Amino acid sequence: MRDRGRTRRLMGLGARTGGALLKTRLGGQADWRSLGEALFEGLSELKGPAMKLAQIMSQWDDLLPPDLAEELSRLQRQAEPMPWPRIREALVMQYGELDSRFRDIEERPFASASMGQVHKAVTHEGETVVLKVQYPGLADVLESDLKQVRRIMGLGRWFKVPQARLDALFEELAAGLRDELDYRAEADAMARYRERYQADSRLVIPEPLFELSGQHVLAMRFVDGTPLRDLESADDDTRQKVAVALADWITEELFTYGELHADPHAGNFAADEQGRLVIYDFGAVIPVPEARLNAMMQLLEATLAHDPMAMDEALVQMGGRQGQGAPLSLYRESAECVAPLFAPGEQDFSDVRVHRRLRELTPKVWAAMDRLQPPAETLLLSRALNGHYWNLVRLKARLDMHSRAQPLLEWARKA
């Protein structure tokens, strides 16, 4: 992956991003479509951390400018695959002579992402397996790419985010990316989750094949399924079944096991023919300390009570605000956005009124960013929860969040 022009292209993308943001701050109309197209074309070819960052951004598709969101979302479903000869090099490094291990390997991947791509293979015993192959040389360019990502993130100063906070956000992002390069760790996480949820008939987690896996290739048994992003047109019963399984699983992860699947983009999930939730990717699993969960539930309780002072105090405890805090009116508007989802009875996650409120609130949050900031240590947690929320939106979930939240709020009060 080493390329003399790689750094130059990343710097160019950063310059175009900065130009669009500066134009907006000066009162002009940014060409978000043009910027999105440039990001797609450049990052789908470059792969690596910068592309991963853009995919993270795309998970908040309803809060970004529509033209930019549409282009970034293509990075989840249309990223250009790496040519087969380069992927074959990585497989040969892992296995030696491929014919000795496999009867056949499909040269065209059926999934491509920021850090690797996925190929089907058939063993000599006739079993279909999946090989998740890390892009060759990715580890070599990771640190160089991260330097450019840090420069791009420096644009956050225009939104009055202090440099110390930007540095902390960068370090958490960088640590997560470095962890994702270790496929042995992902295989261990997959095995742990399989054992943990083996009694839950609503979940399917592929079996990792340790004898075929290494640091840069992860092998697992093939599990077919319809990707979550393609379930929007599925029948309502299937969507609701998958949505309930997803919501229950996330809750159990957090409050029973103190962990969270932190890469919620739609390509990592599917539904099989029985309508079970299939979870494919475990490259980002993060611990969630009980104290952090407790602080989050305190913020939720204050929000549902429409108590701006209590919301501010909860943010202080979380390290999520600076100086005198955000205007109380912003807290009130935030509560008005969130509280309807937790009203008694079944709530519709596809309700466009909720999304409209969130979109209208976003510029006000940015305007108060010098006083109201996400705690750096909760970057991955916040991103994951936001991503899982939008997955429920895509499924058009109908959930009784009031009943779901009550025992969790009671747990936080006792804690």
Side-chain angles (χ1 to χ4, degrees):
M1 288 187 68
R2 191 172 295 280
D3 183 341
R4 291 181 179 179
R6 185 181 179 87
T7 298
R8 183 174 64 252
R9 280 178 282 174
L10 278 172
M11 292 177 67
L13 289 172
R16 294 191 67 172
T17 304
L21 294 175
L22 178 59
K23 189 174 182 180
T24 301
R25 282 182 60 83
L26 294 176
Q29 294 297 314
D31 186 356
W32 295 113
R33 172 71 63 181
S34 177
L35 174 61
E37 290 174 351
L39 287 170
F40 175 81
E41 292 170 4
L43 296 178
S44 65
E45 177 186 353
L46 288 172
K47 309 295 186 184
M51 180 180 173
K52 185 74 174 184
L53 184 61
Q55 287 182 330
I56 290 171
M57 291 170 57
S58 74
Q59 291 167 9
W60 291 291
D61 51 5
D62 278 24
L63 302 182
L64 293 171
D67 287 343
L68 178 60
E70 182 178 337
E71 291 301 318
L72 289 179
S73 67
R74 293 170 60 200
L75 286 171
Q76 291 196 33
R77 61 182 189 271
Q78 298 179 21
E80 289 296 317
M82 180 166 283
W84 168 248
R86 296 298 312 281
I87 294 297
R88 192 180 190 283
E89 289 178 18
L91 292 172
V92 169
M93 288 182 61
Q94 172 69 36
Y95 300 117
E97 181 54 51
L98 298 183
D99 290 342
S100 67
R101 293 293 193 109
F102 303 102
R103 180 190 303 173
D104 180 61
I105 301 178
E106 293 185 2
E107 295 185 7
R108 183 172 181 81
F110 69 88
S112 300
S114 56
M115 311 289 271
Q117 61 192 43
V118 184
H119 294 256
K120 285 184 185 177
V122 180
T123 67
H124 288 292
E125 292 72 33
E127 181 178 13
T128 300
V129 300
V130 169
L131 303 178
K132 179 179 176 182
V133 188
Q134 190 175 117
Y135 294 126
L138 184 59
D140 294 333
V141 301
L142 176 64
E143 299 306 321
S144 175
D145 278 13
L146 284 173
K147 289 180 182 178
Q148 302 309 319
V149 170
R150 183 191 283 273
R151 291 180 180 178
I152 294 173
M153 289 181 67
L155 298 171
R157 291 194 299 272
W158 292 357
F159 296 107
K160 304 177 184 179
V161 181
Q163 186 62 49
R165 183 59 55 92
L166 287 171
D167 290 343
L169 292 175
F170 171 82
E171 290 302 331
E172 185 163 354
L173 173 66
L177 290 171
R178 293 180 184 118
D179 289 344
E180 284 194 47
L181 292 182
D182 189 350
Y183 282 5
R184 292 193 185 97
E186 182 175 354
D188 289 338
M190 186 175 289
R192 183 171 72 252
Y193 269 68
R194 273 180 57 84
E195 181 177 2
R196 178 182 296 171
Y197 294 103
Q198 60 183 330
D200 193 331
S201 61
R202 303 170 302 168
L203 303 180
V204 179
I205 298 172
E207 179 184 357
L209 302 173
F210 286 95
E211 67 277 11
L212 291 175
S213 298
Q215 185 173 351
H216 303 300
V217 178
L218 172 60
M220 66 190 82
R221 299 192 191 280
F222 174 68
V223 176
D224 199 9
T226 302
L228 186 148
R229 60 176 172 265
D230 296 333
L231 290 178
E232 295 181 29
S233 59
D235 64 272
D236 185 68
D237 287 344
T238 297
R239 285 188 284 101
Q240 298 312 315
K241 186 176 181 180
V242 172
V244 170
L246 178 61
D248 289 348
W249 171 62
I250 294 168
T251 303
E252 188 171 1
E253 269 196 289
L254 285 169
F255 290 90
T256 301
Y257 298 105
E259 284 190 313
L260 183 66
H261 183 291
D263 193 358
H265 82 72
N268 289 337
F269 302 92
D272 69 4
E273 291 183 348
Q274 290 77 45
R276 298 178 297 180
L277 175 65
V278 184
I279 310 163
Y280 289 121
D281 190 291
F282 289 85
V285 175
I286 60 173
V288 185
E290 185 176 302
R292 193 168 301 166
L293 278 177
N294 183 272
M296 290 173 56
M297 297 312 296
Q298 288 180 17
L299 177 59
L300 177 61
E301 183 162 38
T303 301
L304 298 183
H306 294 265
D307 186 339
M309 296 300 293
M311 292 172 67
D312 187 66
E313 178 58 31
L315 282 172
V316 171
Q317 296 300 321
M318 294 176 67
R321 73 121 163 117
Q322 303 290 310
Q324 296 181 354
L328 294 182
S329 60
L330 181 57
Y331 290 134
R332 294 191 184 96
E333 288 186 67
S334 299
E336 290 171 2
C337 286
V338 174
L341 278 176
F342 292 86
E346 196 174 74
Q347 303 301 321
D348 186 352
F349 276 64
S350 65
D351 187 343
V352 296
R353 292 172 297 178
V354 175
H355 308 155
R356 188 181 304 118
R357 290 179 185 137
L358 288 171
R359 186 182 291 278
E360 292 170 351
L361 185 66
T362 300
K364 299 177 183 179
V365 173
W366 282 115
M369 193 56 73
D370 57 332
R371 292 167 288 167
L372 179 67
Q373 296 170 25
E377 64 273 12
T378 65
L379 171 65
L380 289 178
L381 176 60
S382 299
R383 171 175 69 88
L385 292 175
N386 273 283
H388 287 305
Y389 165 76
W390 290 114
N391 283 335
L392 292 172
V393 170
R394 293 183 184 97
L395 291 168
K396 301 179 178 66
R398 297 188 303 276
L399 300 171
D400 187 343
M401 297 303 294
H402 178 81
S403 296
R404 288 172 172 273
Q406 292 311 304
L408 306 180
L409 292 170
E410 182 62 29
W411 168 85
R413 296 185 196 107
K414 293 179 179 178

